[in-house]
């Protein structure tokens, strides 16, 4: 067959020529090019020195807990319903006594300004704009009062590591309460620090030591080093400088004598909501609920403590069935997409926390990168809900999700 050809007319070409307005802001252009959290991770890896990136990216020992947690979300099978009107979707509800616009918040992370100089203030600002909570770590690099002064709006949660110096620990708690933080996350899975071999191999110290290795690593990351050296020195709630690795420092600080009864003591001194973070068995979940906490976080610390620990997402259905009517259940570890978040809500979580996903955005582009990470997750949550045929989080249920397990216990 012979195709007859002609010269196209200009008016026919005009609708096909769509020129995108140029983005002159290099940072915004860079993060706008990311469509997934993994895209942000790749950008972050290029822009961050190895020691700082690996501190975020790595896990304990062989990193099996971290890998398994991520695989658990990949092994989800969704069961969509069809022919529902999903033109309007509400992805928010009430969590721990106040509304949230989305079913995820920013998890507490330590040494955050080491990852990127804007640090916690960038995270809190992005979270406030999105209508989600921001969690400040005991090991944060921004003082409680400075964070509130910089970002007075938005919900803020404070994460507590109980130190051997308990008076000092509770002084931080009182400061957080006075500053208006509404929820206390008591982390209980760190009697000692996990073996984080990436940090050992990189000689990860606080602040970074200027060894030959770090000097050579600075060459491809001049912006990171410029920001580190020309902004306020890194400051922590608990130390100014530590000559050993992060893990060595943590092991000298954490209190391995903490017990269930200490939760009651902490609760008596905290006026807001109390959530226990680091629950990894149904029995422990029941024990903290019996002591009157307002919520619990199923978490293995992002795979950074006990390697081969239970996968929190695998534990979620049974804890939800047994205790979901008595307390609010949160989950973290391995969450890298909005689909992961929707799956967790469907299986009984009231809320989820994202740590690495937020930090990848921060390292990729500061506050603009965090905004992009939140946007990626929000878009994923809403799209997944629409494709499942639901218009609210209340409509998500276990009927929408099957967990496909690669590993099962040997009988």
């Amino acid at each position: 067959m012979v195709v007859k050809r002609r010269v196209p007319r200009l008016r026919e070409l005009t609708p096909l020529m769509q020129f995108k307005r140029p983005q002159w802001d290099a940072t915004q252009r860079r993060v706008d090019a990311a469509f997934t959290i993994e895209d942000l991770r790749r950008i972050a890896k290029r822009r961050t020195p190895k020691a700082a990136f690996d501190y975020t990216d790595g896990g304990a020992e062989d990193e099996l807990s971290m890998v398994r947690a991520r695989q658990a979300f990949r092994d989800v099978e969704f069961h969509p319903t069809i022919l529902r009107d999903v033109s309007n979707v509400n992805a928010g509800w009430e969590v721990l006594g106040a509304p949230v616009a989305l079913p995820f918040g920013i998890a507490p992370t330590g040494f955050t300004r080491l990852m990127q100089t804007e640090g916690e203030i960038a995270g809190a600002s992005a979270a406030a704009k999105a209508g989600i909570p921001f969690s400040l770590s005991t090991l944060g690099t921004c003082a409680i009062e400075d964070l509130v002064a910089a970002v007075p709006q938005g919900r803020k949660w404070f994460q507590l590591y109980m130190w051997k110096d308990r008076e000092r620990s509770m002084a931080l708690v009182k400061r957080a309460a006075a500053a208006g933080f509404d929820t206390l996350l008591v982390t209980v899975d760190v009697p000692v620090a996990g073996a984080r071999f990436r940090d050992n191999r990189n000689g990860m110290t606080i602040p970074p030591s200027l060894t030959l290795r770090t000097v050579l690593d600075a060459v491809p990351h001049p912006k990171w080093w410029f920001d580190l050296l020309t902004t306020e020195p890194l400051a922590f709630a608990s130390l100014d400088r530590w000559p050993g690795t992060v893990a060595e420092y943590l092991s000298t600080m954490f209190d391995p004598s903490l017990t269930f009864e200490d939760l009651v003591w902490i609760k008596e001194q905290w006026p807001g909501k109390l959530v226990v973070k680091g629950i990894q068995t149904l029995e422990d979940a029941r024990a903290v609920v019996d002591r009157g906490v307002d919520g619990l976080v199923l978490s293995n610390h992002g795979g950074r403590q006990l390697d081969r620990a239970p996968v929190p997402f695998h534990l979620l259905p049974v804890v939800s069935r047994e205790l979901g009517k008595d307390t609010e259940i949160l989950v973290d570890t391995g969450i890298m997409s909005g689909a992961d978040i929707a799956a967790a809500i469907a299986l009984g979580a009231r809320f989820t926390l994202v740590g690495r996903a937020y930090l990848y955005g921060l390292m990729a582009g500061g506050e603009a990168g965090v905004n992009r990470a939140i946007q990626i997750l929000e878009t994923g949550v809403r799209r997944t809900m629409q494709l499942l045929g639901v218009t609210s989080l209340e409509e998500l249920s276990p009927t929408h999700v099957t967990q496909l397990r690669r590993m099962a216990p040997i009988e």
Side-chain angles (χ1 to χ4, degrees):
M1 177 180 177
V2 177
V3 177
K4 185 178 180 180
R5 301 188 183 276
R6 63 181 177 82
V7 177
R9 297 181 179 88
L10 181 60
R11 66 174 180 272
E12 296 171 338
L13 293 176
T14 301
L16 304 177
M17 294 186 292
Q18 301 292 328
F19 296 103
K20 187 177 180 181
R21 179 178 298 178
Q23 173 57 260
W24 303 113
D25 185 323
T27 298
Q28 193 65 55
R29 184 170 63 248
R30 182 169 63 248
V31 298
D32 285 348
F35 297 99
T36 66
I37 298 299
E38 180 58 32
D39 288 342
L40 289 174
R41 178 185 176 275
R42 284 191 287 267
I43 297 168
K45 188 173 183 179
R46 292 197 305 266
R47 300 188 61 80
T48 312
K50 181 176 174 58
F53 178 82
D54 278 357
Y55 176 76
T56 295
D57 195 58
E61 300 186 38
D62 293 326
E63 302 186 350
L64 296 175
S65 288
M66 183 176 71
V67 171
R68 289 174 182 176
R70 290 182 178 171
Q71 189 62 54
F73 284 105
R74 294 189 183 104
D75 288 342
V76 161
E77 180 179 85
F78 283 121
H79 306 293
T81 55
I82 61 170
L83 297 177
R84 272 70 168 179
D85 180 358
V86 291
S87 52
N88 294 301
V89 169
N90 179 14
W93 55 9
E94 189 171 287
V95 172
L96 295 168
V100 295
L102 298 165
F104 64 91
I106 292 182
T109 61
F111 313 119
T112 310
R113 278 189 58 219
L114 188 67
M115 310 305 118
Q116 203 272 353
T117 193
E118 296 175 43
E120 288 90 353
I121 290 176
S125 178
K129 285 185 289 187
I132 61 176
F134 174 84
S135 307
L136 178 65
S137 170
T138 297
L139 297 176
T141 47
C142 180
I144 292 167
E145 296 80 7
D146 291 345
L147 184 71
V148 174
V151 189
Q153 69 277 21
R155 289 183 72 183
K156 297 175 183 65
W157 298 354
F158 185 72
Q159 176 269 334
L160 174 68
Y161 286 124
M162 185 60 75
W163 302 335
K164 293 173 183 176
D165 185 346
R166 295 197 174 192
E167 288 187 10
R168 197 174 178 188
S169 299
M170 297 314 294
L172 282 175
V173 169
K174 291 175 182 177
R175 285 169 56 191
F181 286 60
D182 65 72
T183 297
L184 183 67
L185 303 174
V186 181
T187 298
V188 295
D189 57 358
V190 189
V192 296
R196 302 174 193 173
F197 294 143
R198 290 206 214 184
D199 292 347
N200 294 110
R201 296 183 182 108
N202 291 328
M204 174 69 169
T205 61
I206 303 295
S209 302
L210 290 175
T211 63
L212 177 61
R213 174 184 294 182
T214 55
V215 170
L216 291 175
D217 193 35
V219 174
H221 306 105
K223 177 66 164 57
W224 186 93
W225 282 99
F226 178 78
D227 287 341
L228 177 72
L229 298 173
T230 60
T231 55
E232 285 295 314
L234 291 178
F236 305 87
S238 54
L239 79 161
D240 292 321
R241 178 175 289 273
W242 177 256
T245 65
V246 172
E248 290 168 344
Y249 166 69
L250 297 182
S251 289
T252 68
M253 185 187 75
F254 294 141
D255 185 356
S257 69
L258 196 67
T259 68
F260 285 107
E261 299 316 310
D262 290 309
L263 293 177
V264 178
W265 177 70
I266 294 170
K267 183 174 173 59
E268 290 172 350
Q269 302 179 68
W270 174 253
K273 300 290 186 179
L274 182 71
V275 175
V276 178
K277 183 176 182 293
I279 300 298
Q280 298 173 70
T281 68
L282 174 61
E283 292 73 20
D284 283 348
R286 186 175 287 116
V288 299
V289 170
D290 288 345
R291 285 162 175 81
V293 304
D294 300 292
L296 57 90
V297 185
L298 300 177
S299 170
N300 65 24
H301 214 96
R304 296 164 67 80
Q305 281 300 105
L306 177 66
D307 206 14
R308 302 178 180 85
V311 174
F313 182 61
H314 283 166
L315 187 61
L316 175 59
V318 64
V319 174
S320 175
R321 285 196 302 269
E322 295 291 327
L323 300 171
K325 294 180 180 179
D326 302 317
T327 195
E328 295 192 37
I329 300 169
L330 292 72
V331 66
D332 71 14
T333 305
I335 295 172
M336 289 291 154
S337 72
D340 297 343
I341 294 166
I345 301 300
L347 290 181
R350 189 70 185 179
F351 201 59
T352 62
L353 293 172
V354 295
R356 287 187 180 92
Y358 141 65
L359 290 177
Y360 292 145
L362 181 69
M363 289 186 286
E367 185 175 340
V370 181
N371 288 334
R372 184 59 178 156
I374 292 173
Q375 184 182 51
I376 288 169
L377 294 174
E378 176 182 3
T379 300
V381 168
R382 293 183 180 278
R383 180 177 57 244
T384 302
M385 291 174 66
Q386 289 175 300
L387 292 174
L388 286 174
V390 303
T391 59
S392 69
L393 299 178
E394 288 86 354
E395 294 177 33
L396 286 170
S397 76
T399 61
H400 291 108
V401 176
T402 295
Q403 291 176 311
L404 305 176
R405 295 191 181 225
R406 292 170 182 257
M407 299 181 297
I410 297 175
E411 300 296 337

